[in-house]
Amino acid sequence: MNLLHLFDLSLIGRAAQPALDDLTFADVEARSNRVANALRARGFVKGDRLAVYLANRPELIDLFLACVKLGVIFVPVNILYREREIAHITSDAEPKLFVTENELASLTSDDATRPHEQLDGATPAAILYTSGTTGASKGAILRHDNFAANAINLTTCWQITERDRFLLPLPLFHTHALGNGLHCWLLSGCRMRLLERFDHRTAVDELLDFEPTLFFGVPTVYVRLLDTPPEAAQRIGKKMRLFVSGSAPLPAHVLEAFRERFGHTILERYGMTETFMNCSNPYVGERRAGTVGFPLPGVATRIENGELLVKGSNVFSGYWRREVDAFTPDGYFRTGDLASVSEDGYITLLGRRSDLIISGGFNIYPREIEELLLEQPGVREAAVVGVEDALRGEVPVAFLVGEFDAAQLEAACRSQLASFKVPRKFEKVNAIPRTALGKVQKHLLR
Ligand code: MLC
Ligand code: AMP
């Protein structure tokens, strides 16, 4: 399915209704047509890549919709990434243009008519970069059909309608806000307020001011919101219909404390960049703490040697310019997540096969940090592990062998890596524990 046919339920069908802040859906349609025509004038054709390095703002949405209309592949880049991380993505995706704030003014045409392009469900809509255990980040190719299957599932299962008021505080360069947030908004035709970012100092004011009925967050966001004064939390809770959490495990005690304060049971769901959403607790029925609920409609699941495998039209079909053996012969994707199923069908995630660290909902592959540390003077061996953190779930800590200056290492990491990847500690050790085969025993370091 061409995604635009879904979006047209709102872009055309609800043209006069409020969409985003002061914009109606007709405005959203016209703005993205202008950007699409500007991209065409610059020679963009179907299949070209457009990289976008922007914090949340309406122009980011215009660019995504322009890409959808032209069949151009949208490549969002994490705004916290530094040169080293960006260089990998640009050399791999080879975008025709890399859009930063500076380019925005030049990407507006006077022509607000919609350009027409022949597209179908197999057309790639976006490439989202997700790190790999090898250290090199891989681009997951997400087709129109994948986005559509996910959006239809969530809008239906979470009963999102045009009557909702949706507050979205998460970054649009990731699956959570892009695949779930933006798409549920466009499909349902509800009214959305997009925050530039979640800032715990102002979040409560935004919630009180906008009076949302729908809110998506990562667990760190909900931990932060536990500091909301009880009276304000009750006011927010009275207007709210549904709080959703995902991207990292939501601790059961946070779910309980949040229910106490806001009067709502957070609905936890589970997804991945490569698959969009796979499982969700029910909207109606028991939302069981510590579980991710049931497989969503159209998603087949299987557990093999403890690992969760998934199959469905939500699942991507491969990485950009990379042969990766991620599928079983019968077409199931190996998620790398370990899981169990209760007798009544609730799925619980038990951890990951790899060393992946998730901090505040952002993924960190230790290998990338280790490689940078090994380039620094005096460092002979380096191992990075995730340690538990009450606010962010996990944070990275580095263990190092050699003679080094911890402040210099921190400065090197700060200048070349996204802030969430900078280790919180640089611990000097005499040796890194290894197996007889030389593999680092990270569980011992932890
Ligand atoms: C965090 N920082 C940001 C930022 N988010 N800077 C700019 N823009 C953003 N969007 C930086 C801060 O500058 C700071 O850097 C550090 O991160 C911590 O900031 P904080 O103010 O203390 O924030 P905190 O309360 O910890 O909350 C962080 C957070 C953020 C939860 C808002 O981590 C976040 O937005 N996470 C969401 C990630 C996400 O959407 N993941 C989905 C992946 S898709 P410094 O330099 O001061 O340390 C996926 C699939 C699925 O996983 O299932 O959804
Ligand atoms: P990403 O590669 O950024 O898309 O992150 C996907 C990973 O996030 C999954 O493979 C899981 O390990 C993790 N994840 C997503 N949702 C949940 C959840 N509700 N509970 C635990 N882990 C989750």
Side-chain angles (χ1 to χ4, degrees):
M1 178 195 287
N2 178 343
L3 263 177
L4 205 49
H5 296 156
L6 275 190
F7 297 164
D8 278 348
L9 296 172
S10 300
L11 294 179
I12 309 292
R14 302 181 184 94
Q17 291 183 28
L20 177 70
D21 300 323
D22 299 336
L23 303 175
T24 62
F25 283 107
D27 296 330
V28 174
E29 162 70 3
R31 287 169 60 110
S32 54
N33 288 345
R34 285 202 188 89
V35 175
N37 289 320
L39 290 174
R40 264 210 171 154
R42 290 211 179 191
F44 269 87
V45 294
K46 188 175 153 182
D48 283 341
R49 275 83 56 210
L50 178 79
V52 175
Y53 183 71
L54 290 173
N56 282 357
R57 52 192 290 164
E59 289 84 352
L60 184 41
I61 295 174
D62 300 337
L63 284 159
F64 176 71
L65 285 173
C67 287
V68 167
K69 289 173 178 178
L70 296 176
V72 164
I73 306 174
F74 182 73
V75 186
V77 180
N78 189 324
I79 193 76
L80 295 168
Y81 280 4
R82 299 286 150 249
E83 252 167 71
R84 179 184 176 101
E85 296 149 314
I86 296 169
H88 170 71
I89 294 178
T90 50
S91 70
D92 192 63
E94 296 186 311
K96 201 179 177 95
L97 184 66
F98 185 83
V99 181
T100 64
E101 256 180 15
N102 299 338
E103 272 73 39
L104 289 178
S106 70
L107 287 174
T108 319
S109 149
D110 295 333
D111 182 1
T113 54
R114 182 187 281 195
H116 286 283
E117 198 54 63
Q118 282 293 327
L119 308 174
D120 63 24
T123 309
I127 298 176
L128 261 56
Y129 276 81
T130 160
S131 301
T133 37
T134 56
S137 182
K138 302 188 293 273
I141 306 171
L142 302 165
R143 291 176 282 119
H144 279 235
D145 269 349
N146 302 137
F147 276 101
N150 185 61
I152 292 169
N153 256 354
L154 301 188
T155 308
T156 310
C157 293
W158 299 345
Q159 301 189 15
I160 302 171
T161 70
E162 63 181 326
R163 288 188 301 280
D164 275 308
R165 295 172 65 84
F166 177 35
L167 184 67
L168 183 60
L170 300 172
L172 282 167
F173 46 76
H174 274 323
T175 304
H176 196 150
L178 182 70
N180 296 5
L182 186 95
H183 282 71
C184 286
W185 163 60
L186 283 171
L187 178 47
S188 68
C190 67
R191 183 183 198 143
M192 178 166 80
R193 178 178 288 180
L194 179 67
L195 301 187
E196 186 186 318
R197 54 167 299 199
F198 176 84
D199 182 337
H200 60 91
R201 291 158 302 188
T202 51
V204 172
D205 292 338
E206 297 281 4
L207 283 156
L208 288 169
D209 179 57
F210 185 60
E211 302 188 332
T213 61
L214 180 66
F215 183 86
F216 292 176
V218 298
T220 303
V221 164
Y222 291 107
V223 174
R224 286 289 197 194
L225 289 176
L226 290 179
D227 292 337
T228 309
E231 195 260 339
Q234 287 303 316
R235 269 172 60 203
I236 293 164
K238 282 216 173 70
K239 299 285 177 181
M240 194 64 73
R241 183 177 68 77
L242 179 63
F243 287 102
V244 179
S245 176
S247 307
L250 180 71
H253 68 88
V254 175
L255 180 136
E256 298 299 345
F258 195 87
R259 178 156 54 203
E260 183 83 0
R261 184 144 297 220
F262 286 84
H264 280 263
T265 305
I266 299 169
L267 184 153
E268 184 171 6
R269 60 44 173 195
Y270 155 68
M272 284 183 86
T273 301
E274 289 92 333
T275 65
F276 292 100
M277 300 307 107
N278 295 310
C279 303
S280 172
N281 269 283
Y283 180 69
V284 179
E286 187 197 353
R287 298 179 194 164
R288 195 173 293 175
T291 81
V292 293
F294 310 113
L296 282 159
V299 184
T301 58
R302 183 163 93 204
I303 293 178
E304 215 170 75
N305 299 325
E307 182 178 5
L308 184 66
L309 313 187
V310 299
K311 186 177 178 176
S313 36
N314 53 310
V315 180
F316 83 142
S317 39
Y319 294 100
W320 177 253
R321 294 180 178 165
R322 236 169 261 264
E323 289 296 322
V324 180
D325 186 18
F327 292 90
T328 62
D330 60 346
Y332 278 75
F333 175 66
R334 301 181 197 279
T335 63
D337 289 310
L338 305 172
S340 67
V341 191
S342 71
E343 273 185 8
D344 54 356
Y346 282 82
I347 295 179
T348 299
L349 298 179
L350 302 169
R352 296 176 296 271
R353 290 184 76 102
S354 70
D355 299 329
L356 174 72
I357 300 167
I358 306 184
S359 189
F362 285 123
N363 283 8
I364 303 171
Y365 276 88
R367 174 81 179 265
E368 188 189 5
I369 306 169
E370 289 160 8
E371 282 171 8
L372 175 63
L373 290 171
L374 287 167
E375 290 168 18
Q376 307 309 311
V379 176
R380 289 208 306 278
E381 284 187 75
V384 172
V385 299
V387 299
E388 228 178 276
D389 181 82
L391 174 62
R392 305 222 166 83
E394 293 175 287
V395 290
V397 168
F399 292 89
L400 303 135
V401 178
E403 291 305 323
F404 55 84
D405 172 7
Q408 187 273 324
L409 293 186
E410 180 171 357
C413 290
R414 281 234 166 258
S415 67
Q416 296 183 66
L417 298 172
S419 57
F420 57 88
K421 296 181 190 170
V422 179
R424 295 304 151 119
K425 274 195 199 148
F426 298 85
E427 293 272 355
K428 187 171 151 73
V429 291
N430 291 329
I432 304 268
R434 290 179 189 274
T435 63
L437 293 174
K439 193 172 161 22
V440 176
Q441 293 171 299
K442 293 213 165 166
H443 60 285
L444 295 181
L445 286 172
R446 253 175 238 124

